[in-house]
C-alpha cells in the first residue's frame, strides 16, 4: 500500500504539449485544457502570433512563433470560407467552390506549420521541456509531425477529418454502403440507388484531399528525412477523442482507441434529451 501511495505523486499530473488548430477547433479544445489545468496538469500551447481565436490568457502558458501573413490577410481568407459554406447550388458547383477555397485556406495553414517546424529556437525548447504527451487536432497533421519528431505519444481531439482519413489511419471500416457521405443528405438506411449515389459522392474527396494533405506529406518527409504519408502520421495516435455521439450523428463503425466524448463543443448550452 505504501509503495502504491508513493507512486500516486508520479501519476497525479503530467506535462502536456498542445498543438491546436485555429477556429472553432480551438474553442472546443480550450474547454478541455481548462479542465486539465484544474486537475494539476502542466499545459503548454504552441501557436502562431497571428490567429483567429488562439490568444494568450492568464490560465494558459503559450509559446508563439512568427508567420508570414498579417491578421487582415487571415481574416479575409476565413470570412470567404464561412460565406461559401452557406451558399447553395448544384453539387458540382459546390465541389468546385470548395476546391478553390480549400486551396486558399490550406496554403495559409501550411505556411503556419512550415514556420513552426523550421523554428529552431522553438524546437529546441520543446525538446528540452520533456513533455509526457502531445494533444492535437488531426484535421491538420502539423501536431502529428511534431509528435513524430519529438517521439511523443499523441492524443487526438477531433470531430472528423476530411475524406475520412481517420478511418484509413485506424483501419476502421467506412463503407459507402453504410456510412452517409457529405452533401448526400442520406441516412444510414439507403436503397440500392442511394448507395450508388453515396459512392459517387465520395469520389471528389480524393482530389480535395490531395490539395489539402499532400503538401503536409511532402513537408513531413523533408523535415523528418524519411518518406511518410499523412495516414502514416495519423497512425501514431494512442487515443482518438471523437466529439461525436449517436444522438446527433448516424451510427458508424469505431475502433477500440476511438472514444466518443460527445458534448464538448464551443457552445455553452446543454442539449435536451
Amino acid at each position: 500500500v505504501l509503495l502504491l501511495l508513493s507512486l500516486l505523486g508520479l501519476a497525479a499530473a503530467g506535462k502536456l504539449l498542445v498543438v491546436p488548430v485555429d477556429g472553432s477547433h480551438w474553442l472546443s479544445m480550450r474547454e478541455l485544457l481548462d479542465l486539465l489545468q484544474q486537475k494539476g496538469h502542466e499545459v503548454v500551447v504552441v501557436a502562431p502570433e497571428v490567429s483567429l481565436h488562439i490568444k494568450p490568457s492568464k490560465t494558459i502558458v503559450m509559446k508563439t512563433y512568427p508567420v508570414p501573413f498579417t491578421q487582415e490577410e487571415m481574416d479575409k481568407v476565413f470570412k470567404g470560407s464561412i460565406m461559401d459554406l452557406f451558399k447553395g447550388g448544384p453539387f458540382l458547383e459546390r465541389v468546385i467552390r470548395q476546391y478553390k477555397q480549400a486551396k486558399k485556406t490550406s496554403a495559409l495553414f501550411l505556411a503556419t506549420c512550415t514556420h513552426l517546424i523550421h523554428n529552431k529556437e522553438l524546437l529546441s525548447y520543446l525538446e528540452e521541456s520533456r513533455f509526457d504527451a502531445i494533444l492535437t487536432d488531426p484535421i491538420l497533421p502539423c501536431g502529428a509531425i511534431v509528435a513524430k519528431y519529438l517521439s511523443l505519444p499523441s492524443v487526438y481531439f477531433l470531430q472528423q477529418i476530411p475524406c475520412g482519413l481517420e478511418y484509413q489511419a485506424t483501419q476502421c471500416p467506412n463503407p459507402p454502403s453504410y456510412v452517409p457521405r457529405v452533401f448526400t443528405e442520406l441516412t444510414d438506411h439507403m436503397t440500392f440507388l442511394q448507395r450508388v449515389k453515396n459512392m459517387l459522392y465520395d469520389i471528389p474527396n480524393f482530389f480535395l484531399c490531395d490539395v489539402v494533405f499532400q503538401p503536409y506529406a511532402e513537408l513531413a518527409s523533408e523535415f523528418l528525412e524519411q518518406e511518410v504519408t499523412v495516414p502514416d502520421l495519423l497512425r501514431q495516435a494512442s487515443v482518438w477523442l471523437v466529439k461525436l455521439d449517436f444522438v446527433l450523428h448516424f451510427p458508424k463503425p469505431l475502433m477500440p482507441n476511438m472514444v466518443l466524448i460527445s458534448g464538448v463543443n464551443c457552445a455553452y448550452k446543454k442539449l435536451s434529451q
Side-chain angles (χ1 to χ4, degrees):
V1 172
L2 290 174
L3 177 62
L4 290 173
L5 288 174
S6 67
L7 293 175
L8 284 178
L10 299 175
K15 194 170 185 179
L16 184 68
L17 172 62
V18 180
V19 182
V21 173
D22 207 351
S24 60
H25 302 271
W26 165 249
L27 298 178
S28 301
M29 184 177 282
R30 188 177 61 188
E31 225 178 315
L32 174 63
L33 299 183
D34 289 341
L35 291 170
L36 289 171
Q37 287 181 315
Q38 289 172 23
K39 291 181 179 293
H41 299 285
E42 184 180 348
V43 177
V44 177
V45 177
V46 173
E49 291 178 345
V50 176
S51 65
L52 290 174
H53 299 299
I54 308 174
K55 307 298 180 186
S57 70
K58 293 180 181 179
T59 58
I60 294 175
V61 177
M62 188 170 291
K63 297 292 181 182
T64 60
Y65 57 92
V67 286
F69 50 82
T70 64
Q71 188 70 54
E72 291 74 17
E73 290 171 331
M74 170 174 259
D75 291 343
K76 184 178 179 182
V77 170
F78 275 92
K79 283 178 182 177
S81 299
I82 293 168
M83 294 300 293
D84 186 65
L85 288 174
F86 291 97
K87 290 181 182 178
F91 171 72
L92 184 59
E93 181 185 320
R94 283 183 290 169
V95 169
I96 293 172
R97 285 205 317 263
Q98 191 180 31
Y99 176 83
K100 290 179 179 178
Q101 204 61 50
K103 287 186 70 174
K104 294 179 183 177
T105 54
S106 61
L108 190 142
F109 278 121
L110 182 66
T112 301
C113 185
T114 302
H115 281 71
L116 165 58
I117 65 174
H118 288 302
N119 190 313
K120 294 182 179 180
E121 183 180 346
L122 180 56
L123 286 182
S124 295
Y125 162 79
L126 297 180
E127 289 180 60
E128 293 167 4
S129 297
R130 298 187 178 277
F131 291 97
D132 297 307
I134 184 169
L135 174 69
T136 187
D137 189 323
I139 191 170
L140 293 175
C142 196
I145 297 173
V146 174
K148 189 168 182 65
Y149 175 75
L150 297 175
S151 300
L152 287 175
S154 355
V155 178
Y156 291 166
F157 181 81
L158 76 156
Q159 185 171 50
Q160 60 184 16
I161 306 178
C163 316
L165 283 183
E166 67 268 39
Y167 298 100
Q168 185 178 345
T170 57
Q171 296 184 326
C172 181
N174 186 33
S177 60
Y178 178 73
V179 181
R181 287 343 191 213
V182 177
F183 295 144
T184 60
E185 300 179 0
L186 297 172
T187 72
D188 55 319
H189 295 282
M190 292 178 268
T191 66
F192 174 75
L193 290 178
Q194 286 175 329
R195 294 177 200 277
V196 172
K197 174 185 175 182
N198 200 44
M199 187 172 291
L200 292 175
Y201 270 55
D202 205 29
I203 294 173
N205 282 335
F206 296 105
F207 303 104
L208 291 172
C209 273
D210 280 344
V211 172
V212 176
F213 292 112
Q214 185 56 33
Y216 284 94
E218 295 170 2
L219 178 65
S221 298
E222 178 189 351
F223 175 65
L224 299 170
E225 298 181 347
Q226 63 181 91
E227 194 69 29
V228 293
T229 64
V230 171
D232 290 337
L233 293 169
L234 298 180
R235 212 165 276 133
Q236 305 170 98
S238 300
V239 180
W240 297 67
L241 300 178
V242 186
K243 297 180 288 180
L244 297 180
D245 58 42
F246 290 158
V247 176
L248 299 176
H249 299 86
F250 297 117
K252 60 179 69 179
L254 296 172
M255 298 303 277
N257 64 338
M258 300 172 81
V259 183
L260 296 182
I261 56 175
S262 182
V264 180
N265 51 61
C266 54
Y268 294 91
K269 285 186 178 181
K270 288 187 176 180
L271 296 174
S272 65
Q273 190 61 37

